[in-house]
Amino acid sequence: MLGTNKSIFRRLIISYMLTIVVGIGIVGALMFYFANSYIYKTKQEELLRQGRTVNANIQETNIINEEKQDTLQFLDHSFDARLWVFNADGKIIATSTKDEVSIGKSVASSIVEKVIRGENAVNRLAFEGLTEPMLSVVVPWGKEDEVYGGIILHSPLIGLNTFVGKIRETILWAALFGILFSAAMVSYLSWTISRPLQQIDRAAAKVAMGNYVERIHLKSEDEIGDLANTINMMATKLEKTDFERQRIDTIRSDFLANISHELRTPLTSMQGFLEALQDGLIEEEGRKRYYDVMYDETIHMNRLVDDLMDLIKLENKDITLTKYLIDPLPILEKEKFKFEREASEKNVSINLITKEPLPKAYTDPVRFEQIINNILKNAVKFTEEGEITIVAEEDGQYLLLSVKDSGIGISELDLDLIWERFYKVDRGRSRKNKGTGLGLAIVKKLVELHEGKITVESQIGKGTTFKIWIPSFVE
Ligand code: ADP
């Protein structure tokens, strides 16, 4: 993965450098070309101007006498240009340097024709007898209405070439400096792009390995910064999901451990009893008690399975309530009656108080009964003496049921936990009081499904009061 970044870095550098080199090369070449032609053009124009001055000095007659010869020599020095004069036939008749070698030689006829027509000649001139490179121009010799021939001006190119060479050197140096400077800039730019990418790559690799706490710390607010933020958000989400998954795993394994525990206890006791019966260790008269206990255990296991099924359905929202407005009184009376015998065996009385006007309850009657049953069963189970009072009354738009007992009570520490599934305050309590630890979890879910509310208040040794609000209105 880091290789990708390296190659991005390389590709960036190569493409930038190519662009810069080509760009600077083209600009340099153009600059050199224009400077070059400007310099030569300027020099040519100067020579043409000087040629016209020479002509003005020797245009009186078509003869080059001693005096004109001196003038030519003088102008040669002042202009630093060699001067040749040729006649209408193209024959060189005089030179400023009294150079006998050139005198008598012919000038190309095309130049002669041009000059006779009164035009200047500047392009691609080549003359025999020139030992050093020269820039040459030809201007007509004579008057406006009478051209005698032409004047050739040669200016040594050495000085000019040196100057042009200097310009070329300067441009080359500037280009080299430009390339180096831009190479440094481009390297820095590429580095600022590839470095955060490497950082992102490293962090993303760690997240991929399961290290969800890893975050990318980038301050840039560009697209790379956005990418880092997105990856950070993704890591946060993964961290939360992972945490939630771990939590669910713990809940699930706790749940399974609880179920196993709840089933093992009755199964172990039944196994013990059955073994004793198999071994014929139990007298005929005592067997009934064994059968009774085993029967109780199967009832308990059945209840546990029923409760579990109920709770699972409730938690998966797999239960639909068939709600309608009902009179709660018959159900309350039925439940009171159901537990009265068990309570009276412990000398506990159950009172039902209804306060007028008793509102109706908007509920599923089967589930309503289940709620009252679970609460009342606990009240009877955990009360050894005294009384249990059920009060039904109106509270706003709700039917309020309070179930108050004078039982063992629940400590403050346990109060919040009793709604948890499988939670029992005293796990080692007597067989008589054994429960599934699921009753209140089911009640809570059912009340929530009714969009009602349930609270509990308790004092150790004094008793417990559960309050349940069930809507008495139709939504
Ligand atoms: P269980 O099947 O054990 O009764 P519940 O979920 O119905 O399970 O109740 C959870 C725990 O709350 C009980 O084990 C008990 O310790 C405590 N509890 C519930 N109701 C009462 C009550 N009326 N008085 C004292 N403790 C209670």
Side-chain angles (χ1 to χ4, degrees):
M1 274 178 276
L2 287 173
T4 322
N5 288 338
K6 271 186 199 149
S7 92
I8 286 178
F9 183 72
R10 207 170 35 233
R11 274 185 292 174
L12 277 173
I13 292 260
I14 291 174
S15 49
Y16 281 141
M17 286 313 297
L18 267 177
T19 319
I20 288 164
V21 169
V22 170
I24 290 186
I26 290 174
V27 171
L30 282 175
M31 269 173 70
F32 179 70
Y33 171 76
F34 287 122
N36 205 13
S37 55
Y38 174 77
I39 290 163
Y40 281 100
K41 222 176 164 76
T42 316
K43 186 67 190 168
Q44 265 175 5
E45 273 163 16
E46 191 188 338
L47 278 178
L48 286 172
R49 236 185 357 263
Q50 289 169 346
R52 282 193 291 275
T53 312
V54 174
N55 183 45
N57 282 285
I58 58 167
Q59 72 184 155
E60 269 317 301
T61 60
N62 60 355
I63 297 162
I64 304 293
N65 51 20
E66 203 56 31
E67 186 192 340
K68 281 186 184 167
Q69 182 65 50
D70 289 346
T71 311
L72 285 178
Q73 206 169 340
F74 169 74
L75 289 172
D76 175 311
H77 286 302
S78 47
F79 293 157
D80 188 24
R82 307 297 81 77
L83 308 172
W84 294 354
V85 183
F86 62 88
N87 63 18
D89 298 332
K91 286 258 177 311
I92 295 174
I93 53 168
T95 64
S96 57
T97 49
K98 290 192 185 154
D99 173 9
E100 297 304 326
V101 185
S102 306
I103 289 182
K105 288 200 171 153
S106 296
V107 176
S109 58
S110 60
I111 295 177
V112 179
E113 280 166 23
K114 246 184 146 183
V115 167
I116 298 301
R117 284 203 303 271
E119 292 170 22
N120 303 322
V122 286
N123 283 337
R124 299 192 190 174
L125 304 178
F127 296 96
E128 286 176 46
L130 295 178
T131 45
E132 55 174 317
M134 294 277 189
L135 180 68
S136 308
V137 301
V138 185
V139 295
W141 169 40
K143 297 177 186 159
E144 241 172 69
D145 48 351
E146 191 185 0
V147 178
Y148 318 133
I151 306 165
I152 304 174
L153 289 92
H154 303 293
S155 175
L157 273 178
I158 288 184
L160 214 57
N161 282 348
T162 321
F163 182 55
V164 169
K166 277 236 163 66
I167 290 184
R168 189 169 47 214
E169 206 177 306
T170 313
I171 289 177
L172 274 177
W173 276 115
L176 195 69
F177 176 76
I179 287 171
L180 285 178
F181 181 72
S182 14
M185 289 297 290
V186 162
S187 303
Y188 175 73
L189 185 72
S190 308
W191 180 73
T192 56
I193 294 173
S194 69
R195 196 185 57 114
L197 280 179
Q198 283 179 352
Q199 239 174 302
I200 291 174
D201 178 64
R202 271 197 296 272
K206 280 190 188 163
V207 172
M209 301 282 283
N211 179 0
Y212 303 129
V213 283
E214 184 70 24
R215 293 290 180 277
I216 306 160
H217 303 285
L218 280 184
K219 288 198 184 74
S220 53
E221 283 172 9
D222 52 12
E223 290 87 342
I224 293 180
D226 289 349
L227 174 67
N229 283 342
T230 311
I231 290 179
N232 281 346
M233 266 155 61
M234 187 186 77
T236 310
K237 194 132 201 190
L238 282 172
E239 193 185 359
K240 273 191 196 148
T241 313
D242 189 52
F243 178 76
E244 189 59 19
R245 188 180 53 77
Q246 282 179 11
R247 201 179 68 89
I248 289 171
D249 277 355
T250 319
I251 291 175
R252 188 179 299 138
S253 54
D254 281 0
F255 189 58
L256 289 173
N258 277 320
I259 294 174
S260 319
H261 174 80
E262 290 300 324
L263 286 174
R264 177 174 294 143
T265 318
L267 280 173
T268 316
S269 87
M270 277 167 69
Q271 192 181 347
F273 284 125
L274 280 170
E275 277 167 6
L277 286 167
Q278 258 180 345
D279 294 347
L281 297 174
I282 317 297
E283 302 283 314
E284 184 71 46
E285 315 81 68
R287 285 187 194 158
K288 185 175 178 313
R289 259 185 55 223
Y290 276 63
Y291 289 133
D292 285 349
V293 173
M294 288 197 295
Y295 180 71
D296 276 356
E297 296 292 18
T298 55
I299 299 267
H300 173 70
M301 283 200 292
N302 243 326
R303 207 172 52 229
L304 181 70
V305 172
D306 284 348
D307 280 359
L308 259 176
M309 300 290 281
D310 251 3
L311 192 65
I312 288 169
K313 275 196 213 150
L314 279 166
E315 285 188 348
N316 291 343
K317 303 220 165 26
D318 202 10
I319 260 181
T320 34
L321 300 182
T322 319
K323 290 194 279 186
Y324 48 93
L325 278 174
I326 57 155
D327 179 3
L329 196 55
I331 294 176
L332 293 174
E333 278 171 342
K334 183 179 154 196
E335 285 300 312
K336 174 182 177 247
F337 177 73
K338 206 161 93 186
F339 288 102
E340 233 158 19
R341 213 163 67 96
E342 190 184 337
S344 65
E345 278 171 13
K346 299 202 279 186
N347 244 343
V348 175
S349 61
I350 303 181
N351 309 314
L352 172 61
I353 301 167
T354 52
K355 294 189 183 165
E356 289 302 325
L358 185 64
K360 288 196 183 305
Y362 184 62
T363 176
D364 180 331
V366 178
R367 298 299 176 182
F368 182 72
E369 196 175 322
Q370 192 179 4
I371 294 170
I372 315 291
N373 175 78
N374 285 7
I375 297 292
L376 209 53
K377 187 170 67 191
N378 278 343
V380 175
K381 201 156 62 176
F382 297 105
T383 307
E384 290 310 317
E385 57 179 3
E387 55 180 16
I388 295 166
T389 310
I390 308 164
V391 181
E393 61 191 310
E394 187 185 58
D395 185 20
Q397 287 193 294
Y398 290 84
L399 163 71
L400 167 60
L401 297 172
S402 316
V403 180
K404 182 175 191 281
D405 65 51
S406 55
I408 58 170
I410 307 166
S411 77
E412 217 170 301
L413 282 176
D414 290 313
L415 265 187
D416 282 344
L417 301 169
I418 55 170
W419 313 104
E420 298 284 324
R421 48 194 186 184
F422 295 112
Y423 191 82
K424 299 173 200 169
V425 172
D426 176 14
R427 286 191 170 269
R429 69 187 171 222
S430 67
R431 298 172 65 80
K432 192 173 59 172
N433 281 349
K434 79 171 168 235
T436 61
L438 297 174
L440 286 181
I442 293 174
V443 166
K444 188 149 203 275
K445 288 268 174 224
L446 280 174
V447 172
E448 279 167 6
L449 217 61
H450 274 87
E451 277 154 44
K453 195 173 99 174
I454 182 162
T455 61
V456 60
E457 284 167 26
S458 191
Q459 256 187 306
I460 287 280
K462 293 229 165 122
T464 307
T465 306
F466 280 94
K467 285 186 178 168
I468 304 154
W469 285 262
I470 298 288
S472 55
F473 57 90
V474 183
E475 305 115 336

